[in-house]
């Protein structure tokens, strides 16, 4: 698993890639979310386009990030969930909680609205 | 064909090797290429539960994964060193309301939804055994 | 850390998944990145022997690979369902002359040369067991 | 494992790549050698540059190919054996039987000499 970050004006894009499979790496993802709050960034776009494998542990850490950011008055949205990952959001009904996008430009603009 | 079996210590570092093996054995057993990820997600949910809940992440305790190809299906048995009897209907329905935003509690739901069939039992030695059936098309 | 164990049917299709697993478990056990291929070559020579010579490629018979990390070394035990007692000094010297061009007969020589230590015994159940020790630097 | 073939004048280059791990794929390699003899090609260069994994079964099939080609009056040489594979040729003393090259041009020219 890899984590990369981009900043577009006041929107932080966190890009996960590889296998999100559990253990210490999930703590890293959690910290990436917490770090946005610490830097007073409220608009977070989580790019899952490069994630090749993820299970409920990955969902758990995304949900907890969403909660952290919401509590700080911010919003987290999801970009490019692959078909398999989208299926996990549907099975767990988390799809009702997250705004999901397949186009980065559109996703970034949605924060401005 | 005899059963393939993998036994790993309860340590997160062994999850990825197990996931890779499950997909490769699934492929040999005849699971479609585009279903291998779902198979490994379902099985790994059970393996992670065995490591964390059954074995309390004690690296001296192991989780066993047995995979057997039978006509029309692959049967996977995941065993840990605990002896757990789950509540009736566990993982049948997604959480609602407040509970929807819990950090955990989605593993069995996901495994159940991806596989055709999931069953909990105790092995002859009294250990937690989760059986998953994956249909072959 | 408990032993990691893989048991596979005697079918060539399982060789590649086993090779991949051995390298990953070797990495976790602390084997250097540039030695992982040599480790997996040495172990797979023994696994292939178990499948072919010990089990006669009968897919109902299995080969077991157990890997354990101990201080300063990784111990690998490969067992099949035969009960073979090798000739003294097997695989100590490369073939010479005519025999150099034989189609086979190089597996144990290679395993011996890549690993620090190789030993043949029978398990408590009387089965062929080859023990390989890989030093950790 | 993959097998590709190139023909340079009267030299056949057989390029193996990937894992040469045993079972039916070894029969394919054997057939690739036999096919050179069937087509009356006597100069065979075996390119191992793309082989990421090989053990004694791979060596066995190379030795048997060498024998097949020699019996037909031809020569087989080896190109680009990686460090690990070279080690196998040394351990088994097969290095005393095969001419090995690390430069394709040089290898091809050696057949002309
Ligand atoms: N192998 C097991 N041994 C003991 N308890 C288990 C086991 N598997 C699951 N459980 C229990 O069932 C609950 C639900 O499991 P699951 O749906 O996978 O979610 P999670 O593991 O994220 O909590 C766990 O929190 C645990 O209490
Ligand atoms: N697990 C085993 N069970 C029975 N016989 C074996 C076993 N391993 C090796 N042998 C015997 O030892 C011989 C040498 O083995 P090896 O050096 O690996 O070369 P190869 O397998 O290519 O013949 C084999 O041909 C076989 O007769």
């Amino acid at each position: 698993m890899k984590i990369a970050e981009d900043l577009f004006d006041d929107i932080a894009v966190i890009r996960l890639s590889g296998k999100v499979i559990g253990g210490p790496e999930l703590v890293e993802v959690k910290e990436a979310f917490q770090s946005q709050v610490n830097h007073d960034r409220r608009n977070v776009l989580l790019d899952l386009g490069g994630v090749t494998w993820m299970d409920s542990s990955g969902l758990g850490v995304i949900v907890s990030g969403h909660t952290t950011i919401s509590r700080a008055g911010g919003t987290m949205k999801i970009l490019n969930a692959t078909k398999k990952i989208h299926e996990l959001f549907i099975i767990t009904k988390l799809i009702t909680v997250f705004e999901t996008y397949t186009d980065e430009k559109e996703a970034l603009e949605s924060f401005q609205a | 064909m005899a059963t393939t079996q993998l036994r790993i210590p309860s340590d997160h570092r062994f999850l990825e090797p197990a996931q890779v093996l499950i997909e490769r054995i699934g492929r040999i057993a005849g699971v479609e290429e585009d279903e291998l990820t779902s198979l490994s997600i379902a099985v790994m949910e059970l393996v992670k539960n065995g490591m964390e809940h059954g074995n309390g992440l004690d690296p001296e305790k192991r989780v066993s994964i047995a995979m057997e190809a039978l006509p029309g299906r692959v049967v996977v048995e995941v065993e840990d060193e605990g002896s757990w009897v789950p509540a009736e209907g566990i993982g049948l329905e997604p959480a609602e309301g407040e509970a929807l935003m819990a950090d955990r509690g989605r593993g069995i739901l996901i495994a159940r939804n991806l596989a055709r069939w999931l069953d909990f039992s105790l092995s002859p030695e009294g250990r937690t055994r989760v059986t998953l059936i994956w249909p072959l098309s």
Side-chain angles (χ1 to χ4, degrees), chain A, chain B:
Chain A
M1 191 206 66
K2 278 193 188 135
I3 309 183
E5 284 189 35
D6 275 336
L7 206 56
F8 294 96
D9 297 324
D10 62 338
I11 307 167
V13 183
I14 300 181
R15 304 191 200 275
L16 294 188
S17 58
K19 296 183 186 177
V20 183
I21 210 161
E25 61 184 28
L26 293 177
V27 179
E28 274 179 68
V29 181
K30 230 174 180 147
E31 285 168 359
F33 294 135
Q34 184 59 52
S35 148
Q36 305 315 317
V37 170
N38 297 350
H39 288 82
D40 237 353
R41 291 178 204 131
R42 305 197 169 177
N43 298 324
V44 178
L45 182 62
L46 178 63
D47 179 0
L48 299 174
V51 175
T52 54
W53 199 95
M54 195 176 94
D55 67 1
S56 71
S57 313
L59 288 180
V61 85
I62 292 171
V63 168
S64 107
H66 178 275
T67 304
T68 304
I69 289 160
S70 300
R71 285 211 184 114
T75 316
M76 185 210 275
K77 303 184 179 189
I78 307 274
L79 176 65
N80 283 334
T82 58
K83 209 177 133 227
K84 292 288 167 198
I85 294 178
H86 197 74
E87 200 180 348
L88 301 184
F89 277 92
I90 293 174
I91 291 173
T92 56
K93 280 208 172 164
L94 285 173
I95 194 73
T96 62
V97 176
F98 289 92
E99 272 184 51
T100 62
Y101 294 85
T102 53
D103 182 90
E104 181 157 343
K105 196 159 157 277
E106 199 187 313
L108 291 172
E109 285 167 1
S110 76
F111 285 101
Q112 257 68 65
Chain B
M1 182 79 62
T3 303
T4 299
Q5 191 182 23
L6 175 67
R7 299 181 74 191
I8 47 174
S10 298
D11 176 316
H12 286 123
R13 290 175 299 166
F14 292 85
L15 291 172
E16 200 269 348
Q19 179 259 328
V20 167
L21 188 82
I22 289 161
E23 295 197 6
R24 280 173 151 77
I25 304 302
R27 179 180 291 128
I28 295 172
V31 175
E32 300 276 333
E33 210 58 31
D34 71 349
E35 289 193 349
L36 290 172
T37 305
S38 298
L39 170 70
S40 73
I41 293 174
V43 176
M44 292 310 293
E45 294 287 2
L46 308 176
V47 172
K48 208 178 287 185
N49 279 347
M51 279 191 182
E52 296 177 354
H53 306 303
N55 294 345
L57 284 176
D58 176 350
E60 295 303 327
K61 293 186 176 172
R62 293 188 291 181
V63 173
S64 155
I65 308 157
M67 296 180 74
E68 189 179 15
L70 293 171
R73 63 199 188 280
V74 179
V75 178
V76 185
E77 284 183 358
V78 178
E79 266 183 51
D80 60 51
E81 302 194 27
S83 33
W84 175 59
V85 180
E88 226 16 77
I90 188 168
L92 281 178
E93 292 291 340
E96 305 270 356
E98 283 270 288
L100 182 54
M101 298 303 286
D103 276 16
R104 7 195 352 155
R106 299 179 183 87
I108 294 170
L109 174 77
I110 288 174
R112 266 203 201 279
N113 272 275
L114 295 178
R116 162 153 290 156
W117 201 80
L118 202 67
D119 185 52
F120 302 88
S121 62
L122 294 178
S123 73
E125 300 79 33
R127 293 181 165 176
T128 306
R129 175 186 286 172
V130 189
T131 306
L132 178 153
I133 295 182
W134 198 269
L136 297 173
S137 43

